[in-house]
């Protein structure tokens, strides 16, 4: 029973239970895509049915992760199948539990408001935005924002963080950013603002069908 209900897995060479960050990142990507897609249905069609299904999956998945075992969570099982040919990247399970507890609270809040109460408003909008930001940072940058809050709840230092960010180390030359590179980014932003200023009217024009009826009539 202890092997069934537990958080994290024991891996030789690690003195604490760990999880595979590659699986976690893949699962976060799938959930991000599902939430984002369901929001598109709301914005463009006013259809709240997809997001209610997504929230049900989201909440159930997090309940299994935290209270039973992450390896039995459906999204993590699918993620494991997707990244099965990649070398695992082990991270400490304890800080992930804190991050997922935050995810559980957020998804439970959304589930109660949108599914049970059947209402939406600024609270659901903000909570959804926070969820998307958390999952986007996890998927795109490998940054677990919830894990960074681990130190607020526990005095001991987090171990085996993604990208070894918990370890104090000297940056390699390839990781350093020069003043010239920063200047390039700023110049690029200024360039975009200038383009937006000059082409604002053009950008707001609706494009016509290149091979539409009008073009065919002109050819005739």
């Amino acid at each position: 029973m202890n092997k069934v209900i537990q958080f994290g897995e024991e891996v030789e060479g690690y003195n604490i239970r760990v999880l595979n960050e590659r699986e976690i990142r893949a699962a976060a990507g799938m959930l991000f895509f599902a939430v984002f897609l369901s929001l598109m249905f709301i914005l463009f069609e006013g259809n709240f049915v997809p997001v209610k299904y997504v929230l049900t999956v989201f909440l159930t998945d997090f309940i299994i992760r935290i209270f039973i075992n992450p390896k039995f969570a459906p999204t993590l099982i699918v993620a494991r199948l997707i990244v099965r040919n990649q070398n695992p990247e082990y991270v400490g399970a304890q800080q992930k539990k804190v991050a997922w507890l935050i995810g559980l609270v957020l998804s439970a809040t959304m589930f109660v408001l949108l599914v049970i109460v059947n209402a939406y408003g600024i609270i659901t909008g903000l909570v959804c935005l926070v969820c998307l930001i958390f999952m986007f940072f996890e998927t795109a940058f490998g940054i677990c924002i919830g894990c960074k809050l681990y130190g607020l709840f526990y005095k001991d230092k987090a171990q085996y963080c993604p990208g070894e960010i918990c370890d104090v180390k000297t940056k390699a030359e390839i990781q350093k950013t020069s003043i010239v590179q920063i200047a390039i980014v700023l110049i690029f932003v200024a360039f975009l603002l200038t383009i937006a200023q000059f082409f604002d009217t053009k950008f707001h024009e609706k494009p016509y069908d290149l091979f539409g009826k009008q073009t065919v009539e002109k050819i005739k």
Side-chain angles (χ1 to χ4, degrees), residues 144-162:
C144 176
I145 298 177
C147 296
K148 291 184 175 293
L149 302 176
Y150 176 85
L152 298 177
F153 301 96
Y154 298 93
K155 293 182 180 179
D156 56 316
K157 181 184 176 183
Q159 300 181 58
Y160 308 118
C161 300

Side-chain angles (χ1 to χ4, degrees), residues 4-220:
V4 175
I5 300 179
Q6 67 176 29
F7 194 87
E9 300 185 46
E10 296 176 359
V11 176
E12 187 178 352
Y14 293 84
N15 58 354
I16 61 172
R17 287 178 179 170
V18 294
L19 296 166
N20 185 357
E21 174 65 14
R22 296 189 189 279
E23 294 175 6
I24 296 169
R25 199 174 299 167
M30 290 187 293
L31 288 172
F32 174 85
F33 179 75
V35 173
F36 182 80
L37 192 62
S38 64
L39 287 180
M40 294 301 101
F41 277 101
I42 295 174
L43 290 174
F44 294 106
E45 296 184 5
N47 186 356
F48 285 83
V49 175
V51 77
K52 291 180 179 181
Y53 277 104
V54 170
L55 285 173
T56 303
V57 172
F58 203 120
L59 180 60
T60 306
D61 194 79
F62 270 73
I63 289 174
I64 296 172
R65 291 188 190 191
I66 296 170
F67 298 110
I68 301 177
N69 194 322
K71 71 178 182 180
F72 298 132
T75 60
L76 289 173
I77 294 173
V78 175
R80 178 172 292 194
L81 290 171
I82 294 172
V83 301
R84 64 186 180 277
N85 294 324
Q86 300 179 16
N87 290 328
E89 180 185 351
Y90 296 116
V91 294
Q94 197 58 38
Q95 61 261 32
K96 283 295 179 183
K97 189 171 188 177
V98 173
W100 289 350
L101 279 169
I102 296 172
L104 178 68
V105 172
L106 293 175
S107 58
T109 302
M110 290 284 289
F111 183 83
V112 169
L113 291 175
L114 269 175
V115 179
I116 297 178
V117 179
N118 198 30
Y120 70 93
I122 188 170
I123 296 177
T124 55
L126 288 175
V127 172
C128 193
L129 178 62
V130 171
C131 286
L132 284 173
I133 291 173
F134 274 46
M135 290 186 291
F136 179 77
F137 270 73
E138 177 81 52
T139 305
F141 310 122
I143 297 175
C144 176
I145 298 177
C147 296
K148 291 184 175 293
L149 302 176
Y150 176 85
L152 298 177
F153 301 96
Y154 298 93
K155 293 182 180 179
D156 56 316
K157 181 184 176 183
Q159 300 181 58
Y160 308 118
C161 300
E164 300 178 356
I165 59 173
C166 299
D167 303 328
V168 179
K169 58 182 180 180
T170 304
K171 289 184 178 180
E173 193 63 33
I174 198 171
Q175 294 177 291
K176 296 178 181 178
T177 307
S178 68
I179 296 176
V180 174
Q181 288 173 304
I182 298 296
I184 290 172
V185 173
L186 295 176
I187 292 171
F188 183 68
V189 172
F191 168 76
L192 290 178
L193 292 174
T194 304
I195 290 294
Q197 183 69 26
F198 280 99
F199 291 93
D200 182 67
T201 303
K202 197 69 175 176
F203 286 166
H204 282 81
E205 288 182 6
K206 184 178 180 179
Y208 66 88
D209 186 352
L210 184 61
F211 300 102
K213 183 177 179 181
Q214 291 182 352
T215 305
V216 174
E217 289 178 352
K218 288 180 180 179
I219 294 175
K220 289 181 179 179

